Amino acid sequence: MGLRVDPTYRQRRFGVEVRRLREAAGLTVSEAAQVLGMRQPHVSNVEAGRTSLSAERLQKLAQALSGTYTYPVDALLALGRESGKGWWSDYHATLGANHLDLAELEAGAVALHSYELLLVPGLLQTFEYATAVHSSGFSPAVNDVRETAVEFRMQRQRVLTGDQPPRLHAIIHEAALRVLYGGRAVMRDQLLRLIEASRLPNVTIQVISLEDEGRSAFSHPFMLIEPDVVELGTVLIDQLGKAQYLDDRQSVAEYGQSFARLSELALPPVDADAVPEARTAKDSLGLIQHILYPLL
């Protein structure tokens, strides 16, 4: 099998985790090659995500660990097996790695924790809203593939209603709900879409109110993507259309704590089926409806 020229994020992540496993075992690349019965360049290519590693060899590497250190070897094996394959592969020739890597991560997640300041999360956008957002892009390259990018975003949303869908917990700042991307009618339908999406059993939506004094918003949007094993989680930070992935244990833990604090600051989740008289305090649904009524 030839070496991968352009490995996906998950393939690169597999290599990173193999390196972490090797380092936890206290082995140099040369020593790991001897343990695994491989040449040193092969080990280096594995750690760069350019090729994979068999289950037998991965188990050999794990056996070199000390008894006080545990590692999710089975989850790492699954990561290596599943990387790079899926419906998103059809878009490889037209969209960049940012799009494909995100769809692949979402497909392998059990939970998605999304925080947005100025946009509705992509997994909850209507077609018209997504089109308006992409039309506002500053990069000519974005305009060249606008229709394909919007189509791709709509395809991504199927993860929420497929077999064994991930849990989506979205926290949206009120500011994002007041920016009229596409005009009043588009934003009205988008707000209605949020209420509709909240009825899915795996979707939780909260709003942070502008009126909450002393409750400043987090400085930038992010999404915490959690697979079956927490240690293999990833934080996605999207700035000016460029994705940054953080996968070290400390960053994942810190962003998880930040999301938990944001959830405490936000209004209670949207409950579209709650009768008005049952609501005794300000909540996310009430705020969305307050913004929605002038648009009707």
Side-chain angles (χ1 to χ4, degrees):
M1 181 181 296
L3 297 179
R4 301 173 184 131
V5 177
D6 188 20
T8 68
Y9 169 78
R10 276 175 61 108
Q11 289 166 342
R12 296 193 304 274
R13 178 66 185 276
F14 177 81
V16 168
E17 293 300 326
V18 169
R19 174 178 56 77
R20 287 173 175 161
L21 184 56
R22 171 181 63 76
E23 291 175 346
L27 301 174
T28 65
V29 174
S30 178
E31 290 168 341
Q34 292 180 1
V35 170
L36 300 176
M38 300 165 58
R39 296 174 59 197
Q40 183 172 328
H42 192 168
V43 176
S44 297
N45 283 324
V46 169
E47 295 186 0
R50 291 190 288 266
T51 189
S52 191
L53 194 65
S54 69
E56 179 183 1
R57 281 174 165 159
L58 193 59
Q59 291 289 359
K60 281 185 179 179
L61 191 57
Q63 289 169 3
L65 292 171
S66 66
T68 59
Y69 186 92
T70 59
Y71 196 92
V73 175
D74 290 342
L76 183 53
L77 281 170
L79 178 65
R81 283 196 305 268
E82 298 166 4
S83 294
K85 299 178 181 179
W87 63 265
W88 50 87
S89 301
D90 295 338
Y91 292 84
H92 184 270
T94 52
L95 296 179
N98 286 353
H99 291 80
L100 277 62
D101 287 343
L102 176 56
E104 187 178 15
L105 285 170
E106 290 171 341
V110 297
L112 303 166
H113 304 282
S114 174
Y115 170 64
E116 285 287 353
L117 269 169
L118 295 176
L119 292 171
V120 170
L123 290 175
L124 299 174
Q125 293 178 5
T126 66
F127 176 85
E128 292 77 13
Y129 181 93
T131 300
V133 168
H134 277 82
S135 298
S136 66
F138 296 102
S139 170
V142 172
N143 294 331
D144 291 342
V145 297
R146 182 185 306 158
E147 292 183 5
T148 304
V150 173
E151 174 188 300
F152 188 85
R153 182 161 295 182
M154 297 301 103
Q155 289 269 47
R156 279 177 50 215
Q157 294 180 2
R158 296 189 304 174
V159 73
L160 296 179
T161 55
D163 296 333
Q164 298 181 324
R167 302 184 306 277
L168 171 64
H169 186 170
I171 300 177
I172 310 170
H173 199 276
E174 181 183 345
L177 306 183
R178 293 190 176 276
V179 180
L180 299 181
Y181 283 108
R184 296 167 64 87
V186 170
M187 199 63 210
R188 176 196 64 212
D189 291 344
Q190 178 60 73
L191 294 175
L192 290 172
R193 165 63 179 152
L194 290 178
I195 297 174
E196 175 188 354
S198 72
R199 291 190 169 96
L200 292 173
N202 55 313
V203 174
T204 300
I205 299 173
Q206 289 183 272
V207 179
I208 294 181
S209 173
L210 285 168
E211 295 181 358
D212 287 338
E213 297 181 3
R215 296 185 174 185
S216 59
F218 198 75
S219 60
H220 56 264
F222 65 89
M223 180 158 67
L224 176 58
I225 304 169
E226 292 186 0
D228 284 323
V229 178
V230 175
E231 289 88 344
L232 297 179
T234 301
V235 178
L236 167 64
I237 301 172
D238 192 355
Q239 295 177 324
L240 296 178
K242 295 183 179 180
Q244 177 184 4
Y245 293 101
L246 305 177
D247 53 37
D248 61 281
R249 306 291 190 270
Q250 182 175 347
S251 293
V252 172
E254 288 176 351
Y255 273 90
Q257 293 167 2
S258 295
F259 191 88
R261 290 195 295 270
L262 286 166
S263 182
E264 293 175 355
L265 295 176
L267 296 171
V270 174
D271 183 358
D273 297 321
V275 295
E277 58 269 23
R279 290 158 48 198
T280 58
K282 189 175 181 180
D283 60 14
S284 295
L285 177 59
L287 180 51
I288 291 176
Q289 290 173 331
H290 176 74
I291 300 171
L292 175 64
Y293 288 148
L295 303 177
L296 295 176

